[in-house]
Amino acid sequence: MYPVIKLRDQLLLLHNLIKRRATSTPAELAEKLAVSERTVKSLIAQLRAMGSKIAYSRISCTYYYVTPSEFRFGYECSTSELEEQKKIV
């Protein structure tokens, strides 16, 4: 599997768990994602760097979004790129 696809899958799974407030403790979350706790912290930092407001509830033992967040991963081709491709062909 390509590293970027693996990362996307990890971030998407983490996002869905956070959205459902189903992450559990950081140690249990690491087990769910099959990664280390350090990697969990890194993945959460990446979501935060993308603008997600994430907090941890010690009462519920879960990460959660402070404000609603969506995770999208994709590629878009702009009109100018399409025009360039037409010139090449």
Side-chain angles (χ1 to χ4, degrees), residues 41-69:
K41 291 177 183 178
S42 174
L43 291 169
I44 290 171
Q46 289 180 55
L47 287 176
R48 285 179 173 147
M50 289 184 233
S52 295
K53 305 283 191 244
I54 301 170
Y56 184 78
S57 169
R58 291 183 181 178
I59 295 169
S60 302
C61 294
T62 190
Y63 288 96
Y64 64 93
Y65 286 116
V66 176
T67 57
S69 295

Side-chain angles (χ1 to χ4, degrees), residues 6 9-10 13-14 17 23 26-40 43:
K6 182 178 178 182
D9 291 347
Q10 290 173 331
L13 178 56
L14 176 58
L17 289 169
T23 63
E28 291 169 331
L29 178 56
E31 285 184 36
K32 289 178 183 181
L33 297 175
V35 298
S36 67
E37 284 187 59
R38 185 175 180 174
T39 299
V40 164
L43 291 169

Side-chain angles (χ1 to χ4, degrees), residues 17-31:
L17 289 169
I18 293 171
K19 196 172 177 179
R20 294 188 348 245
R21 294 181 178 228
T23 63
S24 303
T25 66
E28 291 169 331
L29 178 56
E31 285 184 36

